[in-house]
Amino acid sequence: TCNAFTGLTDASNVAITGGNISGTDITVSDFVNMSVDWGMDSIMSAPDAAIKAQGNVGVTLASNATAANVTYGTFTAGEGGNVTTAVWGSGTQTATMTLANLVIGKIYHWFFTPTVTGQVPTITATSGVGQSTIPTVVSATVENIYFRATATSAVFTFTNTGASTWSAASTGVFEYSRPAIVREFSNSTLQTLVFDWLPPADWDGGTIKITPYMVVTNATAPANTETVIWSFAGYCVGDSDSLSQALGTAVTSTYTAGNALAQYDEAIGTETNAITLAGAGAGKKCRITADRLTSGTYAQKIGASAFKVKFTRTMAP
């Protein structure tokens, strides 16, 4: 016996007979996340081009070397460190480096930048990585290594076959966290991103609500009670409708920071009140503008990663 319909309205008009649902239309709320990758620049001042916001999680990494003429220092907490005492003589030499205090199962990004252009050493893992081939991105000046830790420490071997002598090199390791593609919005200039939303066929053409999703990209995170204010408006067009449609009334969303935000934290904004899209109707495509208003008190740029659109759909029996 089913006597309740969670999330449904007008449940009294719904009947279940032989396992089939029948009755009048059922109205439910639904959501879709609009990535900023889908966004189009506005004719107004546009936000910065899309960037990848990558969290840096500092860990203390110890290193050592065993080959002659090569001496490495000890890393400090943070994204990277400098190997200021590394000295490589000419000819083939090898050295080992141990990366300690790793967390098993996490992915790490390790970069190695020699001071001699074109003299990037071959680096192989001997333990703690769990894979025979290390994913690398190599250029003339830097080698980037990505690996998943299978132990709390990993040992790598450097092989230098160049004829040049190095006086120093820089290297660093940081945890590779979930990256997010964002567009950075300024708080000193009104900036606008325009994106299209194609509602499902059973959208009822009613009002929508939007929740902004953000990433703190600046080193200075929002302080407690500082605000980021967004404004959303839009219109819809269908078959034979002109694109020169006026926007509906703008509705704002104010995000008030707590006291624990840091760089690369995600910040989920406040859902707006109901937004009326001009010309809204089932089967139409809608164009929505997202503005960061300069009236917010957080002065730095902030990255927008997505806008969640909440709408109502009607499912006919």
Side-chain angles (χ1 to χ4, degrees):
T1 301
C2 180
N3 56 14
F5 293 85
T6 302
L8 305 181
T9 62
D10 202 15
S12 61
N13 293 326
V14 180
I16 299 179
T17 305
N20 297 318
I21 297 178
S22 61
T24 56
D25 294 345
I26 303 172
T27 301
V28 299
S29 294
D30 206 347
F31 305 87
V32 62
N33 288 322
M34 304 297 294
S35 166
V36 295
D37 282 346
W38 301 355
M40 298 171 293
D41 289 338
S42 168
I43 58 173
M44 299 173 62
S45 178
D48 294 352
I51 62 172
K52 180 181 289 187
Q54 176 64 60
N56 291 347
V57 181
V59 290
T60 302
L61 299 171
S63 61
N64 60 60
T66 59
N69 301 325
V70 184
T71 304
Y72 290 99
T74 301
F75 284 103
T76 57
E79 176 179 342
N82 290 321
V83 185
T84 56
T85 59
V87 179
W88 290 78
S90 60
T92 301
Q93 296 185 60
T94 60
T96 61
M97 175 179 285
T98 300
L99 306 180
N101 298 326
L102 303 178
V103 177
I104 296 175
K106 288 192 174 183
I107 296 176
Y108 291 88
H109 172 201
W110 176 27
F111 66 87
F112 184 88
T113 306
T115 55
V116 180
T117 301
Q119 297 292 323
V120 178
T122 300
I123 304 177
T124 56
T126 56
S127 67
V129 175
Q131 57 198 47
S132 57
T133 302
I134 307 171
T136 62
V137 179
V138 181
S139 69
T141 58
V142 66
E143 183 161 6
N144 293 287
I145 294 177
Y146 300 88
F147 66 94
R148 187 184 297 278
T150 59
T152 56
S153 64
V155 180
F156 295 85
T157 299
F158 290 77
T159 301
N160 173 42
T161 58
S164 301
T165 300
W166 296 349
S167 61
S170 63
T171 185
V173 181
F174 60 88
E175 180 186 324
Y176 189 81
S177 62
R178 178 187 64 85
I181 305 299
V182 302
R183 300 289 298 272
E184 284 189 307
F185 284 74
S186 170
N187 195 43
S188 59
T189 302
L190 176 66
Q191 294 185 322
T192 301
L193 189 67
V194 183
F195 61 94
D196 285 343
W197 172 52
L198 187 60
D202 55 2
W203 177 47
D204 65 2
T207 60
I208 65 171
K209 296 180 179 181
I210 297 178
T211 302
Y213 281 71
M214 299 161 281
V215 173
V216 179
T217 52
N218 196 278
T220 302
N224 190 30
T225 73
E226 285 190 319
T227 58
V228 177
I229 302 177
W230 298 90
S231 176
F232 301 97
Y235 65 87
C236 304
V237 291
D239 188 39
S240 299
D241 288 342
S242 172
L243 289 177
S244 58
Q245 178 77 258
L247 293 173
T249 301
V251 178
T252 60
S253 166
T254 299
Y255 171 75
T256 302
N259 56 6
L261 281 175
Q263 188 178 25
Y264 305 121
D265 280 356
E266 183 154 77
I268 302 176
T270 304
E271 183 180 79
T272 66
N273 292 326
I275 301 171
T276 299
L277 303 175
K284 293 187 176 183
K285 181 179 72 176
C286 303
R287 178 158 290 181
I288 299 172
T289 63
D291 300 336
R292 183 187 176 188
L293 303 183
T294 59
S295 52
T297 57
Y298 177 55
Q300 282 72 30
K301 293 181 179 180
I302 196 165
S305 60
F307 302 111
K308 183 174 73 175
V309 179
K310 180 181 179 181
F311 59 95
T312 303
R313 60 198 311 172
T314 300
M315 299 184 294

